[in-house]
Amino acid sequence: MNPQKTPSTSTPADCEILELISYNRELYDKYTATSVDTVFTHIKKDRVNWINVDGLNNQDIIEKIQSHFCLHSLLIDDVLSDQRPKAEEFDDYLFFTLKMLYRIDGTAIDYEQISFVLGKDYLISFQEKEGDWFDGFRERIRLDQGRVRKKQADYLLYRLIDIIVDNYYNVLDRIGDLIDETEETVYQNPSTRTFTRIQNLKKELIFLRKALFPLRDALSKIVKGESDFVKEENLRFFSDVYEHVIHLTDSLDTYKDLVSSLTDIHINAMNTKMNEVMKVLTVISTIFIPLTFIVGVYGMNFKHMPELDWTWGYYGVWGIMIVMVVGMLAFFRYKKWF
Amino acid sequence: MNPQKTPSTSTPADCEILELISYNRELYDKYTATSVDTVFTHIKKDRVNWINVDGLNNQDIIEKIQSHFCLHSLLIDDVLSDQRPKAEEFDDYLFFTLKMLYRIDGTAIDYEQISFVLGKDYLISFQEKEGDWFDGFRERIRLDQGRVRKKQADYLLYRLIDIIVDNYYNVLDRIGDLIDETEETVYQNPSTRTFTRIQNLKKELIFLRKALFPLRDALSKIVKGESDFVKEENLRFFSDVYEHVIHLTDSLDTYKDLVSSLTDIHINAMNTKMNEVMKVLTVISTIFIPLTFIVGVYGMNFKHMPELDWTWGYYGVWGIMIVMVVGMLAFFRYKKWF
Amino acid sequence: MNPQKTPSTSTPADCEILELISYNRELYDKYTATSVDTVFTHIKKDRVNWINVDGLNNQDIIEKIQSHFCLHSLLIDDVLSDQRPKAEEFDDYLFFTLKMLYRIDGTAIDYEQISFVLGKDYLISFQEKEGDWFDGFRERIRLDQGRVRKKQADYLLYRLIDIIVDNYYNVLDRIGDLIDETEETVYQNPSTRTFTRIQNLKKELIFLRKALFPLRDALSKIVKGESDFVKEENLRFFSDVYEHVIHLTDSLDTYKDLVSSLTDIHINAMNTKMNEVMKVLTVISTIFIPLTFIVGVYGMNFKHMPELDWTWGYYGVWGIMIVMVVGMLAFFRYKKWF
Amino acid sequence: MNPQKTPSTSTPADCEILELISYNRELYDKYTATSVDTVFTHIKKDRVNWINVDGLNNQDIIEKIQSHFCLHSLLIDDVLSDQRPKAEEFDDYLFFTLKMLYRIDGTAIDYEQISFVLGKDYLISFQEKEGDWFDGFRERIRLDQGRVRKKQADYLLYRLIDIIVDNYYNVLDRIGDLIDETEETVYQNPSTRTFTRIQNLKKELIFLRKALFPLRDALSKIVKGESDFVKEENLRFFSDVYEHVIHLTDSLDTYKDLVSSLTDIHINAMNTKMNEVMKVLTVISTIFIPLTFIVGVYGMNFKHMPELDWTWGYYGVWGIMIVMVVGMLAFFRYKKWF
Amino acid sequence: MNPQKTPSTSTPADCEILELISYNRELYDKYTATSVDTVFTHIKKDRVNWINVDGLNNQDIIEKIQSHFCLHSLLIDDVLSDQRPKAEEFDDYLFFTLKMLYRIDGTAIDYEQISFVLGKDYLISFQEKEGDWFDGFRERIRLDQGRVRKKQADYLLYRLIDIIVDNYYNVLDRIGDLIDETEETVYQNPSTRTFTRIQNLKKELIFLRKALFPLRDALSKIVKGESDFVKEENLRFFSDVYEHVIHLTDSLDTYKDLVSSLTDIHINAMNTKMNEVMKVLTVISTIFIPLTFIVGVYGMNFKHMPELDWTWGYYGVWGIMIVMVVGMLAFFRYKKWF
C-alpha cells in the first residue's frame, strides 16, 4: 500500500485518459489508469482528489464516474455537448464549464470545452482532448510549490481556471499584435488579402466574445458567495480571476473597435487608390482628347483649307498644342490632382 | 371499460384533430376522436392527461375545452391569434405559448404557434397545424422509456418544450452552414444573387430573434419558481431548457454579427471588382489615347511637314510609340496596377 | 325625467362636442349637448358615467370640467399640449394619455392625442378631433354586448385603450405590407423614388417608436397594480393590452431592422447598376480605342509606308483587327464581365 | 425703512450684478446693489428671498455669499467651473446646476451654466451672463400673478427650472424646423453646403444630449423625494418638469435618427448625381467611339481599298453609322439609362 | 532624532525611488532613501505617513513593503501587472489602482499605472515611472496650504486622485482642440494624412475609454460608503471626483460622436472631390469625342464625297462644331455640373 513511488514517476502513456492526483500537506500520489474502478479505490477521504478525464468518447468511464459521484444526468449532458460557460450548484457538488483556447496558426482559434465538478474533497475535470496546459502545474503540486498543497479542492479549481484564463491573455495579446501588423499593411497595400485578414480577426473576436461573456457571469455567481463549495477565504482568489475576465472583456471591446476602425481604414485606402487611378485616366484623357481633335481637323480632306497651304501651319499647330498642354497641366496643378 | 387495447394501437386517421394520452407509472391509454365529449369521459384524476388539439379552426372543440377546463377568454384569444411567446399564471393553470420552427427550403423558415395549458393533472397542447414532432416522444411514453411515466404533467410540459427548443438548434445549425457556404461564394463571385441570399439570412435572423428573446423571458419566469404548477424538483429541467435558449440567443447574436460581416465582405468584393474594371479601362485608355494622337499628327494634310518625306520617318514613329508603351507599362507596374 | 328615449336615438349633430354615456347593468342613457352644466346634471352616482369631449378648443367646457371634477391644473396643461404617453395617479383620479393613429395615405401617419381621466364612477375622455373609432363600441354598450355593462369605469378605460392599441396593429400591418412591396421594387428598379419611400417608412417607424415606447411604460405602471382606480380583478385585462404593446414594440424593432436592410439593398442595387454602366463603357472603349489607333496608323501620310502598297494590306488590317476583337471578348468573358 | 417703493421701480443699471427679490403673500421688495452686505441686511426670515448673481467674475461677492450662507467650497468650485447638470443635497441647502440655452444664429447654440442654491427661506441663483429670461417672471411675482407668492422657495426653484426647460422646447422646435428644411434641400441639391449643415445639426444634437441627459437624472433625484428642501406637495411640479425633460430626450433621440437619415439621403443623392454623370459619359463614349473607328477605317491610305471607289460608299458608311446609333439608343433605352 | 531639518530640504537625487512624507497638523518630515528599513523606522503612529515608490523594478523594496504592511500577494500582483482601474477593500487596507495619462506629442497618449494602498495612518503609492505630477502638491503639504495637514490619509488619497483626474481634463481638452483643427482641415483638404489623424484620435478615445469607465466604477464603490478606510465626512470629496469622472466620460462619448462625424465628413469630402474629377473627365470627353468623330468623317478618302469639294465646306464644319460645343456647354450648365 505504497503507491507513491510508481504513479508519480511513471512515464505517461498515449492511452492514459484517466488520472488521479491525490494530495494533502504531507502526501502526494498520482495514478494513471484506464480502469475507473482501480482509480476509485485510491480516492482517500482526508485528501484532495483530482480526477482528470481526457477525451469524452469512453462512455463506460463517464457512466461509472456518474454513478460513483451521483452526478445529475443533465450535468453529464452538459459535459458531453457544447455548452455556454456556466456555474451551476447541485446538492452535492458545484458544476463549472468553460472554454479553453488553442491558438493554432494564422488567426484561427481552436476551442476545447473543459468541465469541472467540485465536491467536498474531490475535483473532477473533463477535457475534450488530451492537453498539457496543466502539466507544469501538476509538477508544482508534486514539488509542493506555492499554496496549493495547503489548500482544499476549491483552491485547486481556482488555480485551474486561472491557468485557462491566463491563456486567454496570450491569445488576446496575439490578436492585438495582429491588429497592429494589419494596420501597417492596410495603409500601404489595401488588397483583398488584407481585407480577408481583417474579417477573420473580426470573426475570432465574435467567437471569443461568445466564450468570455458567459464566463464572466459564471464567475460572478461564485464571487457573490452563492456557492457552498467555495470557502469564504478563497473567494478573493475567484474574485481575482473574475477581475481578469472583466479586463479581458474590456480588451475585447477595445479590439472590436480597433478592427472596425481597420475596416474603415481599408475602405478609405481602397477609395484613395481608386481616386488616384481615376485621376490618371482623367489627366491623360483630358490632355490628349482635345489634341487628337486638333490633329483630326487638319487630317480632313477638304479642298479649300487655307491653313494647310501655310508654310508655318504645321509648326503653328504644334505651338497651339504645346500651349494647351501647359495650360491643362497648370489647371491640374491648381486643382491639386498631382 | 378497457380502452387500452384500441386507441393506443389504432391507425391514425387524417381527420384526427383531438387526441388524449392518459398515463401513469403502470397504465397508458391513447384515444383519438373528433368529439370532445368522448375525450372528456376518458380523463382520469390519478393520471397525467395530455390532450393535443391539431388545428385551431374547429370553434366547437375550442369552446368545449374552454368551458370544461374553465379557461379565461383572454387565454383563448391568445391561443387563436399570433402572440409573442409568454408564460402566464392563472388561478387554476399555467399558460405557455411559443413558436415552433419548420425549415422548409432555401433560407425561408416557417413558424407555427403552439400553446400549452398546464393544470394539476392535465396538459392541453394547441397546435396550428398537424405536426409529427412529438410522434417519437409519444412512442417513448408508450414504451415507458426515460423518466416521463414516473413524473407528472409539468415534466411532460418540460419535455415538449425541450423537443421544440432542440429543433431550434437544427435550424440555427443550418443557418450557420448557410453562412459558411455564402462566405465562400461571396469572396469569389459577389453577384446580386449572393447579396439577396445574405439579406434573406439577415431577415430570418431578425424573425428568429422575435421568437427567441420573449421565449427566454417566459422560461425565466418559470425558472424563478414563480409558478405553482411546476414542482420544485423539476425546476432544474426548465432551468436546463432556459440555458439552451440563452445559448441559442448567444448564437443568434454571433450569426447576426457574421451576416453583417458578410455584407461588408460583399461590398468590398464588389468594389474590388469595380476597381479592377476601372483599371483595365484606364490602362487601355492611357496607353492608346496618346498613340492615337501621334498617328493623328502624321495624318494631317499640311503641305509642309518635313517628317513625312524622311525615309525612316514611319519606322521612327513606330520606335517612339514602342518606347512610350514600354514606359507606360513600367509606370503601371510601379503603381502596382497589375 | 326619463331621458333614456331621446339621447340614445338622437341624430348626431356636427356641433356635438360633448357627450355623456351613463350606464349600469340595467340602464343605458346617452346625452349629447354643448352645454356642460346640462351634462353634469345627468351624471348619476350608481352608474358608469363616460364623458367624451371632442376638440380641445372650447376653453369654457374644459374649465367647467376642471372645476367640477377638481382636476389639477398640470393635468389640464397635459391634456391641452403635446405629451408623451403616460399614466399619472392623482388623489381622486387616474390620468392616462396616449396617441391615437390615423393612417391617411401613402406612408404618412397622423397622430391625435387622447387623454383619459378615470375616477371612481366616471371616465372623461378628451379627443383632439372628432373621431368615430369608438362608435362601434358605443353601440355594443347600448346593446349590452360583451362584458362592459357588467363592469365598472376601469374596464371601460381598458376597452377604449384596447381599441386604440388594436388600431396600432392595423397601422403596423400596413407598414409591413409596404416594406414587402418596396423590397420587390428595390431589387428591380432602385430609383430615387424608391429611396424616398424607404426613408419615409423609416421616419414613420421613428415616430411610432416615440408613441409606443412610453405607452409601454405607462401601461406597465398600471399592470404593476400601483393604481387605486383599477381593480385587482381587471388587472389581467390591462396586462393583456400591455402584452399587445410589447408585441407591437417587438414588431417595430423588427420593421426597423427590415427597413435598414432595405437601405442596404437599395445601395447595393444602385452600385450593381453603376457597375454595369461602367462595364459597358469599359468594354466599348477597350475594344475600339486600340482599333482606332490601328486605322490611325494607316491614315498617316508618310511617303515610305510599305504596307500601304501591299495588295492585301487592307484585308490584312481587317484580319488583325478581328483577331484583336475576338481576343478581347474572350478576355472579358474570362473576367465574367458579361 | 420702507424700501418697497424704490427698488421695485428703480431703473436697472448696467452694472447691477446682484439683485434681491424678497416676497411673501402680502409684501414684495426688490433691491439691486453691487455691495453684498447691503443686500444681506434686507433678507427677511418670514419671506422668500431670491438672490440673483449675474456674472461670476466678482470674486468678492461670491466669497461673501459663501461665508454668509456657509456654502461648501466644492459647491463654489462647481458654480465657477463647467459642470454637468446635477442636484446635490448638502446639510443646509440643495444645490442644483443646469445649462441654459441661447440660440444665436444659424445652427449654433450657446450655453450658459446656471446654478441654484435652495435653502429653507432663500434661493440663490448664479448666472454666467446677464440674461433677461426671468424678467417676465419677475414681473409676474411683483404683480402677484399665478401661484408663486403663495408658495415657498422650492416652488420658486421649480418655476425657474421650468422657464429654462421651456426654452429647450423652443430650441428643439427650431432644430426640428431646420431638419425639415434641410431634407427638402438635400433631395434637390446635395451640395457640400447641405452636408455641412447636416453635420452641424448633428453636432448641436450631440451637445444638447450632453446638457439634457444629466438634467434628467438630477430632476429624477428630486422627484424621488430624496430632498428635504422640496416639500411633498410640490413634488408633482418637479415631476412635471421631469416629464418634460424626458419628452425632450425622446425628441432628441428622434431628431438624432432623422439627422442620421438625412446623411443617408445626402449620400444617396450624391451617388445618384454621380451615376447620372457617368451615364452621360458612357452614352456619349459608347455612341461615338465606334463611329470614330469606322470613319478612321476609311481614312486609311491603302492603295487597294475597293470601298473607296464605290460611288455610294460614302453614303453607305453614313447609313451603317445611323443604324448603329439607333441600335445603341435602343439598347440604352432598354437598359433604362435615360 | 531630529530628522526634520535634513530630509525636507535635501536635494532630490536621481536615484531616489523611495520617499516618506510624514505629517500632522504641527509637524512635517520628508525622508528619501533607497533602503526600505531606514524608511520604516521613521513611520510614526500619530501622523499621516505617505510612502511613495517610484519604479516597480526593485523586487527587494516591494517585498519588504509587502511583509511590513502584510499586503496580500494578489494585491502585489495587481500593482506589478497591467490592471483595469479598481478599488478593492482588504481587511487592513483599501487598494486603489488607476491610470495616469501623459500626453507626449501628436495624438499619442502614454499611460502609467499608479496604485494606492490606504491604511489607517499610512498611504503607499506605487508609480511605474518617476513623475513630478505630485511635486507641487508636496510643496503645498510642506507649507501647510489648504486642508491637507488638518485631514487624515483618506483625504490625502482624495487629493492625489483629484490631481490625476484633473490631468485627464487637460488631455481631453487637447483632444477637443485637435478635433476642431482636424474638422477645418478635412473640409478643405481630405487627404490620407487627415484620415490617419482622425483614426488616431479615434484610437486614443478607445484607449481613454478603457481607462476611464472602470475608474468610474471604482470611485462609485467608495462613494457608496462601502469602505471602512474613507471617513463619512470625506465622502463628499470622493463624490466630487466621481462627478468629474462622469463628466469626463460624458465628454468622451461626445468626442466619440464628433470623431465619427469627422469620418463621415472625410468620406463625403473625398466623394465630392472624386465627383469633381469625374465631371471634368465627362465634360472634356463629351465635348471632344463627337467633334473628333466629325473631323474623322471628312478625313475619309472616298472618291465621291460631295462636301469635300464645297468651297465653304471647311468653314461649315467649324460652324457645326461650334454650335455643338455651345449646346453641350448649355446642357452642362443646365445640369449644374459647373
Side-chain angles (χ1 to χ4, degrees), chain B residues 173-184:
Chain B
D173 283 354
R174 178 88 186 99
I175 287 181
D177 291 350
L178 279 171
I179 290 174
D180 286 349
E181 281 173 34
T182 312
E183 194 183 335
E184 277 179 38

PDB file of all heavy atoms in Angstrom, chain B residues 173-184:
ATOM      1  N   ASP B 173     -28.217  25.647 -36.713  1.00  0.00           N
ATOM      2  CA  ASP B 173     -27.051  24.988 -37.315  1.00  0.00           C
ATOM      3  C   ASP B 173     -27.102  25.116 -38.831  1.00  0.00           C
ATOM      4  O   ASP B 173     -26.089  25.405 -39.477  1.00  0.00           O
ATOM      5  CB  ASP B 173     -27.025  23.498 -36.928  1.00  0.00           C
ATOM      6  CG  ASP B 173     -26.530  23.314 -35.506  1.00  0.00           C
ATOM      7  OD1 ASP B 173     -26.119  24.313 -34.890  1.00  0.00           O
ATOM      8  OD2 ASP B 173     -26.573  22.186 -35.011  1.00  0.00           O
ATOM      9  N   ARG B 174     -28.296  24.928 -39.394  1.00  0.00           N
ATOM     10  CA  ARG B 174     -28.457  25.065 -40.850  1.00  0.00           C
ATOM     11  C   ARG B 174     -28.107  26.486 -41.283  1.00  0.00           C
ATOM     12  O   ARG B 174     -27.436  26.680 -42.304  1.00  0.00           O
ATOM     13  CB  ARG B 174     -29.914  24.719 -41.223  1.00  0.00           C
ATOM     14  CG  ARG B 174     -30.237  24.871 -42.680  1.00  0.00           C
ATOM     15  CD  ARG B 174     -29.943  23.610 -43.485  1.00  0.00           C
ATOM     16  NE  ARG B 174     -30.152  23.864 -44.916  1.00  0.00           N
ATOM     17  CZ  ARG B 174     -29.168  24.137 -45.763  1.00  0.00           C
ATOM     18  NH1 ARG B 174     -27.928  24.119 -45.369  1.00  0.00           N
ATOM     19  NH2 ARG B 174     -29.434  24.389 -47.042  1.00  0.00           N
ATOM     20  N   ILE B 175     -28.529  27.473 -40.496  1.00  0.00           N
ATOM     21  CA  ILE B 175     -28.183  28.866 -40.826  1.00  0.00           C
ATOM     22  C   ILE B 175     -26.676  29.067 -40.756  1.00  0.00           C
ATOM     23  O   ILE B 175     -26.081  29.723 -41.615  1.00  0.00           O
ATOM     24  CB  ILE B 175     -28.937  29.844 -39.895  1.00  0.00           C
ATOM     25  CG1 ILE B 175     -30.413  29.885 -40.289  1.00  0.00           C
ATOM     26  CG2 ILE B 175     -28.335  31.228 -39.953  1.00  0.00           C
ATOM     27  CD1 ILE B 175     -31.254  30.824 -39.481  1.00  0.00           C
ATOM     28  N   GLY B 176     -26.054  28.473 -39.730  1.00  0.00           N
ATOM     29  CA  GLY B 176     -24.597  28.548 -39.622  1.00  0.00           C
ATOM     30  C   GLY B 176     -23.926  27.976 -40.855  1.00  0.00           C
ATOM     31  O   GLY B 176     -22.981  28.568 -41.400  1.00  0.00           O
ATOM     32  N   ASP B 177     -24.413  26.824 -41.341  1.00  0.00           N
ATOM     33  CA  ASP B 177     -23.849  26.220 -42.553  1.00  0.00           C
ATOM     34  C   ASP B 177     -24.024  27.147 -43.744  1.00  0.00           C
ATOM     35  O   ASP B 177     -23.096  27.351 -44.536  1.00  0.00           O
ATOM     36  CB  ASP B 177     -24.545  24.879 -42.852  1.00  0.00           C
ATOM     37  CG  ASP B 177     -24.179  23.822 -41.807  1.00  0.00           C
ATOM     38  OD1 ASP B 177     -23.256  24.082 -41.004  1.00  0.00           O
ATOM     39  OD2 ASP B 177     -24.827  22.771 -41.773  1.00  0.00           O
ATOM     40  N   LEU B 178     -25.232  27.720 -43.864  1.00  0.00           N
ATOM     41  CA  LEU B 178     -25.506  28.627 -44.984  1.00  0.00           C
ATOM     42  C   LEU B 178     -24.564  29.827 -44.961  1.00  0.00           C
ATOM     43  O   LEU B 178     -24.110  30.293 -46.011  1.00  0.00           O
ATOM     44  CB  LEU B 178     -26.958  29.105 -44.938  1.00  0.00           C
ATOM     45  CG  LEU B 178     -27.987  28.144 -45.505  1.00  0.00           C
ATOM     46  CD1 LEU B 178     -29.391  28.624 -45.194  1.00  0.00           C
ATOM     47  CD2 LEU B 178     -27.811  28.018 -47.022  1.00  0.00           C
ATOM     48  N   ILE B 179     -24.296  30.353 -43.746  1.00  0.00           N
ATOM     49  CA  ILE B 179     -23.384  31.490 -43.640  1.00  0.00           C
ATOM     50  C   ILE B 179     -22.003  31.099 -44.143  1.00  0.00           C
ATOM     51  O   ILE B 179     -21.362  31.836 -44.907  1.00  0.00           O
ATOM     52  CB  ILE B 179     -23.330  32.006 -42.178  1.00  0.00           C
ATOM     53  CG1 ILE B 179     -24.653  32.681 -41.816  1.00  0.00           C
ATOM     54  CG2 ILE B 179     -22.173  32.966 -41.979  1.00  0.00           C
ATOM     55  CD1 ILE B 179     -24.771  33.084 -40.370  1.00  0.00           C
ATOM     56  N   ASP B 180     -21.539  29.907 -43.737  1.00  0.00           N
ATOM     57  CA  ASP B 180     -20.221  29.449 -44.197  1.00  0.00           C
ATOM     58  C   ASP B 180     -20.193  29.301 -45.718  1.00  0.00           C
ATOM     59  O   ASP B 180     -19.253  29.767 -46.370  1.00  0.00           O
ATOM     60  CB  ASP B 180     -19.873  28.105 -43.540  1.00  0.00           C
ATOM     61  CG  ASP B 180     -19.500  28.284 -42.082  1.00  0.00           C
ATOM     62  OD1 ASP B 180     -19.312  29.449 -41.666  1.00  0.00           O
ATOM     63  OD2 ASP B 180     -19.429  27.299 -41.352  1.00  0.00           O
ATOM     64  N   GLU B 181     -21.237  28.656 -46.271  1.00  0.00           N
ATOM     65  CA  GLU B 181     -21.308  28.481 -47.725  1.00  0.00           C
ATOM     66  C   GLU B 181     -21.279  29.839 -48.422  1.00  0.00           C
ATOM     67  O   GLU B 181     -20.523  30.050 -49.373  1.00  0.00           O
ATOM     68  CB  GLU B 181     -22.617  27.778 -48.120  1.00  0.00           C
ATOM     69  CG  GLU B 181     -22.624  26.278 -47.910  1.00  0.00           C
ATOM     70  CD  GLU B 181     -24.020  25.734 -48.159  1.00  0.00           C
ATOM     71  OE1 GLU B 181     -24.730  26.277 -49.039  1.00  0.00           O
ATOM     72  OE2 GLU B 181     -24.427  24.787 -47.450  1.00  0.00           O
ATOM     73  N   THR B 182     -22.129  30.751 -47.935  1.00  0.00           N
ATOM     74  CA  THR B 182     -22.222  32.060 -48.582  1.00  0.00           C
ATOM     75  C   THR B 182     -20.901  32.803 -48.511  1.00  0.00           C
ATOM     76  O   THR B 182     -20.518  33.501 -49.449  1.00  0.00           O
ATOM     77  CB  THR B 182     -23.332  32.893 -47.908  1.00  0.00           C
ATOM     78  OG1 THR B 182     -24.494  32.083 -47.808  1.00  0.00           O
ATOM     79  CG2 THR B 182     -23.650  34.129 -48.718  1.00  0.00           C
ATOM     80  N   GLU B 183     -20.185  32.654 -47.387  1.00  0.00           N
ATOM     81  CA  GLU B 183     -18.919  33.366 -47.257  1.00  0.00           C
ATOM     82  C   GLU B 183     -17.953  32.951 -48.352  1.00  0.00           C
ATOM     83  O   GLU B 183     -17.265  33.796 -48.944  1.00  0.00           O
ATOM     84  CB  GLU B 183     -18.310  33.105 -45.884  1.00  0.00           C
ATOM     85  CG  GLU B 183     -17.184  34.088 -45.599  1.00  0.00           C
ATOM     86  CD  GLU B 183     -16.507  33.824 -44.273  1.00  0.00           C
ATOM     87  OE1 GLU B 183     -17.146  33.242 -43.380  1.00  0.00           O
ATOM     88  OE2 GLU B 183     -15.335  34.189 -44.149  1.00  0.00           O
ATOM     89  N   GLU B 184     -17.915  31.635 -48.623  1.00  0.00           N
ATOM     90  CA  GLU B 184     -17.010  31.182 -49.681  1.00  0.00           C
ATOM     91  C   GLU B 184     -17.409  31.757 -51.035  1.00  0.00           C
ATOM     92  O   GLU B 184     -16.570  32.202 -51.802  1.00  0.00           O
ATOM     93  CB  GLU B 184     -16.996  29.655 -49.743  1.00  0.00           C
ATOM     94  CG  GLU B 184     -16.032  29.075 -48.706  1.00  0.00           C
ATOM     95  CD  GLU B 184     -16.038  27.566 -48.738  1.00  0.00           C
ATOM     96  OE1 GLU B 184     -16.120  27.007 -49.843  1.00  0.00           O
ATOM     97  OE2 GLU B 184     -15.993  26.958 -47.651  1.00  0.00           O
TER      98      GLU B 184
END
